[in-house]
Amino acid sequence: MRAKKLLFTLLGIGLLASSCYTEVLLDDDFIVDSAINTDQVLRSFDLWYVDINATTGNGEVPFLQRAFTVSFDNGILLANNNIVGIGKTGNGFGIDVGSYATLPGTVEIDHDIDGLWLLDVFAINGNTLELYDPRSDTSYFLRGYQRHNFDYDLVFYDNLDYFLQEYRAWEKTFTSELGAVNEFDNENFLRFFPGNGGYFQSSVDAVGTSIPNLVWDYEGDYQIYDTDNEMLKTLTLDYDFLGNDYFELYVIDDSTIELYHAASETVYEFRGRGFMQYLKSNDKKMGKKRTRTDNKKMNVIQKRKM
């Protein structure tokens, strides 16, 4: 059984929508003293980033496994389950995914899709909570931020594989006149499946073809790489039996990407079609689930002249 370890020093307790903050020092028994104290802790930060790489245990709490952030707002549980629109959806808090009530040292969550969960709340340090599921002996670690100091852009770039997967297809909308002719010129659609180092398909169908009518001509594995520049990612498409293509990957906005084909010096733009918003309250789809990520690093010199 998980032993209780309660120690929390918190500066800036405040309601989610409040601009007034009060210094509160929490002693060892603060969380277990009352349901009100537990609720104060959960609402002490606007956003709780789910550090999926820190998760321990072999079980799963599905709605935490899907979320990038969660927020506790007067009995309503909010979550950012999509990278697309993060920072804008629900004024940055995300969508309503359920309700919650607090007990001493525990939060009871009634999730719209996943049902009822009773999670123990542990304070790790001044901005970190542990939510522990005793049924599966699994812990999730949440890092607290106020909206004004939460780096939505960094979260976006750290999770680009999910971004690529949140559209049913990516349609080519631009090809630069400069650049050598190459086989990728003919590919007008891409789509990506879950898992970095995952699976992709491409199509040479004409621009404007409806998604259900696309024929996927090529397929293979893809990989996103980090570089020394945190805002530069690279993408490789490893085609089955056809070699591979290498691109510098740039995000124009949350529906448009730019792929710079370094070998031919051609610039392509793709626009996402068929956005999939995960876990709307009236949607029975389970949606994607996050997994531990550890992008490989590629030592490259940026070739795209911006």
Side-chain angles (χ1 to χ4, degrees), residues 38-59:
T38 304
D39 186 57
Q40 278 188 295
V41 170
L42 293 175
R43 293 194 293 138
S44 60
F45 286 96
D46 293 344
L47 297 157
W48 293 98
Y49 178 69
V50 182
D51 186 353
I52 207 70
N53 288 340
T55 305
T56 61
N58 297 319

Side-chain angles (χ1 to χ4, degrees), residues 36 68 74 79 276 290 297:
I36 294 175
F68 295 98
N74 292 317
M276 296 177 286
R290 296 174 66 199
K297 190 170 184 179

Side-chain angles (χ1 to χ4, degrees), residues 123-177:
I124 303 303
N125 58 39
N127 71 334
T128 305
L129 286 182
E130 175 186 353
L131 296 186
Y132 173 69
D133 175 32
R135 289 184 295 182
S136 63
D137 192 25
T138 301
S139 292
Y140 288 82
F141 293 87
L142 280 55
R143 319 292 181 188
Y145 296 89
Q146 307 300 353
R147 275 189 300 174
H148 71 270
N149 65 3
F150 187 72
D151 194 337
Y152 289 101
D153 288 340
L154 184 60
V155 172
F156 194 101
Y157 271 85
D158 277 348
N159 293 279
L160 277 184
D161 49 326
Y162 297 110
F163 170 53
L164 295 180
Q165 296 159 22
E166 288 180 4
Y167 288 98
R168 299 187 187 280
W170 290 88
E171 181 179 31
K172 186 185 290 179
T173 57
F174 171 79
T175 301
S176 64
E177 293 183 5

Side-chain angles (χ1 to χ4, degrees), residues 8 18 24 30 45 53 60 67 84 113 136 156 161 174 215 291 303:
F8 200 96
S18 174
V24 176
F30 187 89
F45 286 96
N53 288 340
E60 181 180 274
V84 174
I113 301 298
S136 63
F156 194 101
D161 49 326
F174 171 79
V215 175
T291 58
K303 294 186 177 180

Side-chain angles (χ1 to χ4, degrees), residues 9-25:
T9 302
L10 185 64
L11 302 179
I13 287 269
L15 299 181
L16 284 175
S18 174
S19 61
C20 299
Y21 298 100
T22 305
E23 180 175 316
V24 176
L25 300 180

Side-chain angles (χ1 to χ4, degrees), residues 13 26 29-42 102-103 105:
I13 287 269
L26 308 183
D29 297 323
F30 187 89
I31 293 179
V32 297
D33 271 352
S34 75
I36 294 175
N37 292 346
T38 304
D39 186 57
Q40 278 188 295
V41 170
L42 293 175
T102 53
L103 303 168

